[in-house]
Amino acid sequence: MLEDKTSKFVLFGGVLIILAGAFAPNWIVNQFMFGFSRALAIVGLMVLWRTGLVSFGHAFYFGLGAYAVAILDIQLGVTDVFLRLLAGALVAGLAGFLLGFILRNYRDIFFAMLNTAISMVLFGIVVKTESLGSTDGFAISMSTIFGLAPETKYPLFVIITSVGVIAALLVNYYLKTTYGRLTTAIRDNEIRVEYLGFSVAHAIHLKYTISTILAGGAGALMAMSLGQVDPESMINWTVSGELVFVTILSGPGNVIAPFIGSLVFEVLRTYAFELAPQAWQLIMGATFLTIIFFLPGGIWSLLEKLGGRKNGK
Amino acid sequence: MKHNYLARAVGLAAISAMTLGAGSALAKDAITIAVPSFLTGGAAGPFGIPAMNGAKMVADAINAGKLPAPYDSKGFGGATATIEAIDEGGGATKQVAEYRNLVEKRGVDAVVGYISSGNCQALAPIAEELKQFTIFATCGTPRIFEEAPRKYVFRTMGHATADNVAAAMYVKEKYPDLKGYTGINQNYAWGQDSWRDFDLTLKQIMPNSMASDKTQFPKIFAGQYGSEISAMSLDKADLIHTSFWGGDLEAFIFQGNARGLFKKKIGVFTVGGTAAYRLGKKLPDGLVLGARGPYGILVRDRDSALNQWFVNTYKNLYGTYPSGPAYQYGQAILAAKIAYDKAGSDASDEALGDALRGITFESFSTTVEMSLGGGHQAVTENGYGITKYDDENGENVVTDVKFYPGSCIMPPEGVNSVDWIKGGMKGAKC
């Protein structure tokens, strides 16, 4: 499972980042926490994208994960980081599994828009319900680790990075199994896949559920690193759009790509916001267009090209 | 914009060179104040930009030592302040992330601003966690200091309770025979609190008027109120209370006006002040208009030196009269100066807090008493008037303006707003 280049790189990179994080200033640790939390969801979207499916509604699962943490905190006082993460991933995964029965029958724009519709239903419910915090959302208390309350953000950063490493390894492994390899096959020709003896519906359902578990986990981690949830930043269609944006920015080439892309996105946004408080959205949009025009394979394709040149290919 | 920064940077360099020569070793020569306000989205034009203008104007005047007495000393405790404009849009979670950046990455000395109650509510615990001296300028939910004691967070204007208790008292005086009332408020902390306080107060002081059971709570920044206006037109209630602000406020006035809503019903606008200058003739006559305190159009004619300076300088710089948000942000910047003057430009966040806690100061249009929430929450008077378009001068004016003292419309220290109103507003000195 760990023999290939990607796995080794993920393990090595993860350990390196965790070690470096101990000496990094707080704001950089924050950027990594936000970036890597979101990257989990991007890994899921990448699997879908390889299958030829783009979901414009994964903020639904992202939001479910985040709100699971918030509601557990407020109703039951659950602060343990692993319980919170588990709850977020499970709630989202269960919802994804159930909705998958419907969604696996749709492709293209219908798949994208149905996902959006579902996410906007949740958005509407949360916004209208005062007990769910309506537009304000909730503040989330600091996470504890096995009953210990950490003084700094570093332990949470270590956990998020480790979760990211584990998720990347698992998905990387999955993509090499028979079902995993079906991703591109389904995109290219569904009928042939059926003739080979595989159920396309089952394969898509499985991939969809995986992507929702990852999105839920991402939402839970994001909620914990920010200490705040609100529907505008967690469930709204703009968040789904943001996830797709980062997926395209990253490129579908490799499971490492989402982590790099998500981090680039976070840093880009921070600086755009700082340098142009009135026009930061414009900078983000221009970046997006540039990527689509000049780097359709995302940042990963750029890295590949650079790497290829070095190896004399 | 860029040019401005350059000019400032050169100025700063010059000033620091001079003071370096003078040999001042300890006190800081320059501080950075982050000023968040809506710079994008529907709330920017009517609310965020005037607020930012007010803050910049006051900060520039303080840097140059040009404010009227007693604030004519140069700088913030002698230091020149650079204002970093921050966009407040994008939701509370995004603001939390940005606030962490402000403090931990950009290392600002003070944060002064915030309009949205949702943002303030989310940021108060973060400011406490990061131990960052923060002054909320405009946001209105009373929950900030009622939910938990704060050490680093202050608010230099009255909260929603003052706005809505005063509105209810004004309604009682003007419309003693009112039979029923309804409301349209945004579905978040600010709107919910505003309606709750207005409704509870009217239940206390006008027990014979009935609240409608179909009050409207659209989402903030919704912008379209067709169905809500239909529902309220059919409602028997003859008064509509709203705490809409910014772009939502203007959209609601336009859409309601087109359908004759304000001819049939009395409109009570607790944050209506910003619309008075912007909408001109499109603002209907006869609205009950507030500005969340003694700001904007309600106090344009007050002839204190500070107020005249504020009104005239603003008019000269930006071409319009200052509305409420400009005053409120100016007031918060002034409070920052007072804290820095008292504690010194190199003071710690704790010392700045100690300097501001519980003080009373003369602001541009009114006296501000930091007397609630353990000395962190300001109390000021609050007033209302009725809109009227003045054909001769081609502008809106307010008539029948009445102010209520702060002690009449805010709960005493230690009493939660809701409990205070429900208990018959004991201890109110009107």
Side-chain angles (χ1 to χ4, degrees):
Chain A
M1 177 181 169
L2 297 173
E3 285 93 49
D4 68 303
K5 222 165 123 190
T6 304
S7 304
K8 279 179 193 151
F9 191 82
V10 167
L11 265 180
F12 181 69
V15 172
L16 205 67
I17 287 168
I18 286 174
L19 288 178
F23 306 99
N26 258 340
W27 73 270
I28 292 183
V29 171
N30 277 337
Q31 302 268 308
F32 271 87
M33 289 203 302
F34 303 155
F36 283 2
S37 299
R38 184 184 303 100
L40 273 194
I42 310 298
V43 171
L45 282 180
M46 190 189 82
V47 173
L48 282 182
W49 190 16
R50 283 190 175 197
T51 321
L53 295 168
V54 174
S55 160
F56 265 102
H58 260 49
F60 177 74
Y61 305 104
F62 190 77
L64 273 183
Y67 268 77
V69 171
I71 286 168
L72 271 184
D73 181 17
I74 284 150
Q75 300 293 335
L76 304 170
V78 174
T79 56
D80 186 80
V81 64
F82 298 107
L83 278 180
R84 284 174 161 185
L85 174 63
L86 202 67
L90 278 184
V91 169
L94 185 66
F97 174 70
L98 295 176
L99 288 167
F101 284 104
I102 306 168
L103 288 164
R104 68 187 193 186
N105 301 318
Y106 295 88
R107 303 288 181 272
D108 305 327
I109 189 76
F110 306 103
F111 178 81
M113 293 323 280
L114 257 179
N115 273 292
T116 316
I118 291 166
S119 76
M120 289 314 283
V121 170
L122 179 67
F123 180 73
I125 291 172
V126 171
V127 160
K128 293 262 173 213
T129 317
E130 203 175 334
S131 58
L132 289 174
S134 64
T135 337
D136 294 328
F138 300 111
I140 294 167
S141 58
M142 288 276 269
S143 298
T144 56
I145 300 160
F146 301 124
L148 297 170
E151 286 283 303
T152 65
K153 285 266 163 144
Y154 184 67
L156 186 60
F157 162 79
V158 173
I159 289 169
I160 290 176
T161 312
S162 314
V163 171
V165 166
I166 293 167
L169 291 176
L170 287 176
V171 171
N172 187 43
Y173 176 73
Y174 166 77
L175 286 176
K176 273 186 267 159
T177 61
T178 314
Y179 254 86
R181 284 182 203 279
L182 280 180
T183 45
T184 28
I186 291 171
R187 187 187 62 199
D188 291 341
N189 195 327
E190 283 192 20
I191 297 168
R192 275 196 191 170
V193 173
E194 294 272 353
Y195 267 89
L196 286 172
F198 295 102
S199 159
V200 170
H202 279 164
I204 288 183
H205 199 162
L206 178 63
K207 289 175 213 311
Y208 190 76
T209 310
I210 290 175
S211 77
T212 61
I213 292 173
L214 287 169
L221 291 179
M222 190 64 112
M224 285 188 269
S225 23
L226 279 164
Q228 172 79 21
V229 296
D230 76 274
E232 204 70 42
S233 324
M234 296 292 185
I235 317 176
N236 202 5
W237 64 268
T238 50
V239 183
S240 301
E242 198 174 279
L243 293 175
V244 174
F245 177 121
V246 183
T247 312
I248 294 171
L249 181 76
S250 311
N254 192 296
V255 284
I256 302 168
F259 292 87
I260 298 172
S262 188
L263 207 58
V264 168
F265 174 77
E266 205 58 56
V267 173
L268 185 71
R269 188 163 68 172
T270 303
Y271 279 98
F273 202 78
E274 188 172 323
L275 298 174
Q278 265 145 330
W280 60 276
Q281 284 126 326
L282 196 73
I283 296 181
M284 303 306 285
T287 312
F288 191 48
L289 284 178
T290 314
I291 292 280
I292 289 178
F293 281 138
F294 301 110
L295 271 183
I299 290 174
W300 186 254
S301 68
L302 186 72
L303 295 177
E304 254 177 357
K305 263 184 218 158
L306 290 177
R309 207 172 288 160
K310 215 189 268 168
N311 296 340
K313 279 177 204 161
Chain B
M1 205 63 195
K2 261 229 170 89
H3 182 77
N4 209 348
Y5 280 133
L6 197 73
R8 256 185 225 155
V10 171
L12 273 182
I15 290 166
S16 31
M18 279 190 305
T19 35
L20 223 81
S24 97
L26 269 175
K28 270 203 252 179
D29 304 322
I31 56 167
T32 314
I33 302 178
V35 179
S37 146
F38 283 97
L39 302 179
T40 60
F47 228 95
I49 303 294
M52 187 59 77
N53 287 345
K56 282 192 170 151
M57 177 184 90
V58 172
D60 286 347
I62 290 173
N63 284 339
K66 281 194 183 145
L67 275 193
Y71 305 116
D72 47 359
S73 65
K74 224 174 186 178
F76 293 72
T80 308
T82 310
I83 299 293
E84 291 243 17
I86 313 288
D87 183 18
E88 202 190 321
T93 307
K94 179 156 182 311
Q95 287 306 316
V96 169
E98 281 314 319
Y99 187 91
R100 287 188 190 280
N101 268 334
L102 275 181
V103 178
E104 293 183 327
K105 173 166 178 290
R106 295 158 81 171
V108 298
D109 295 293
V111 184
V112 179
Y114 292 111
I115 289 168
S116 164
S117 293
N119 289 340
C120 287
Q121 216 182 340
L123 289 172
I126 311 289
E128 295 291 319
E129 179 198 320
L130 299 175
K131 302 191 182 2
Q132 172 64 51
F133 178 61
T134 301
I135 301 176
F136 289 153
T138 296
C139 54
T141 176
R143 300 179 210 177
I144 290 166
F145 299 100
E146 289 181 353
E147 275 175 357
R150 311 286 182 197
K151 197 170 165 207
Y152 299 91
V153 178
F154 294 82
R155 175 163 53 198
T156 47
M157 68 175 291
H159 56 55
T161 304
D163 303 336
N164 294 289
V165 172
M169 289 180 169
Y170 192 82
V171 165
K172 188 186 176 190
E173 267 174 50
K174 285 276 149 196
Y175 313 101
D177 306 323
L178 185 74
K179 291 208 179 56
Y181 57 96
T182 183
I184 175 166
N185 291 283
Q186 293 147 331
N187 197 3
Y188 79 118
W190 166 250
Q192 291 153 4
D193 292 345
S194 290
W195 169 253
R196 190 196 60 201
D197 290 349
F198 182 77
D199 181 36
L200 287 175
T201 312
L202 273 191
K203 282 203 167 79
Q204 287 289 333
I205 64 175
M206 297 183 78
N208 292 329
S209 74
M210 296 296 290
S212 160
D213 50 2
K214 291 192 202 75
T215 49
Q216 306 295 324
F217 282 99
K219 185 179 157 312
I220 180 174
F221 304 144
Q224 290 294 331
Y225 306 102
S227 49
E228 286 87 357
I229 290 169
S230 301
M232 287 190 295
S233 297
L234 295 172
D235 201 306
K236 280 195 193 117
D238 28 40
L239 181 144
I240 297 168
H241 164 273
T242 181
S243 59
F244 273 20
W245 54 276
D248 287 10
L249 167 76
E250 294 181 3
F252 175 59
I253 291 177
F254 284 139
Q255 291 163 26
N257 216 6
R259 296 176 56 183
L261 186 65
F262 307 115
K263 290 212 172 68
K264 284 183 264 179
K265 318 266 180 193
I266 305 158
V268 176
F269 289 76
T270 63
V271 205
T274 57
Y277 291 135
R278 279 174 53 91
L279 300 194
K281 211 170 178 172
K282 290 175 208 144
L283 186 75
D285 282 355
L287 301 181
V288 175
L289 197 81
R292 299 217 41 229
Y295 311 109
I297 195 168
L298 296 176
V299 294
R300 203 169 98 192
D301 302 326
R302 287 197 176 173
D303 52 7
S304 71
L306 277 166
N307 191 46
Q308 285 310 310
W309 174 87
F310 195 88
V311 172
N312 294 329
T313 317
Y314 194 94
K315 184 97 202 293
N316 284 339
L317 275 175
Y318 306 110
T320 83
Y321 286 107
S323 57
Y327 270 97
Q328 290 146 13
Y329 268 57
Q331 183 160 303
I333 294 282
L334 183 64
K337 173 183 168 57
I338 293 169
Y340 271 104
D341 281 354
K342 233 168 120 182
S345 63
D346 54 346
S348 65
D349 294 84
E350 283 83 6
L352 287 170
D354 291 341
L356 193 54
R357 191 170 299 116
I359 65 164
T360 298
F361 66 96
E362 206 53 46
S363 174
F364 299 103
S365 55
T366 190
T367 308
V368 182
E369 292 170 49
M370 304 293 295
S371 57
L372 292 184
H376 287 240
Q377 164 65 50
V379 174
T380 70
E381 58 187 331
N382 199 315
Y384 281 85
I386 308 253
T387 57
K388 170 124 189 54
Y389 189 73
D390 177 2
D391 275 319
E392 246 170 64
N393 295 319
E395 61 175 2
N396 282 303
V397 292
V398 278
T399 60
D400 300 7
V401 177
K402 162 130 204 217
F403 282 98
Y404 301 87
S407 54
C408 169
I409 48 177
M410 293 278 262
E413 171 70 340
V415 184
N416 175 305
S417 303
V418 176
D419 299 339
W420 177 65
I421 301 173
K422 278 188 179 158
M425 297 186 279
K426 284 200 185 77
K429 293 186 206 88
C430 295

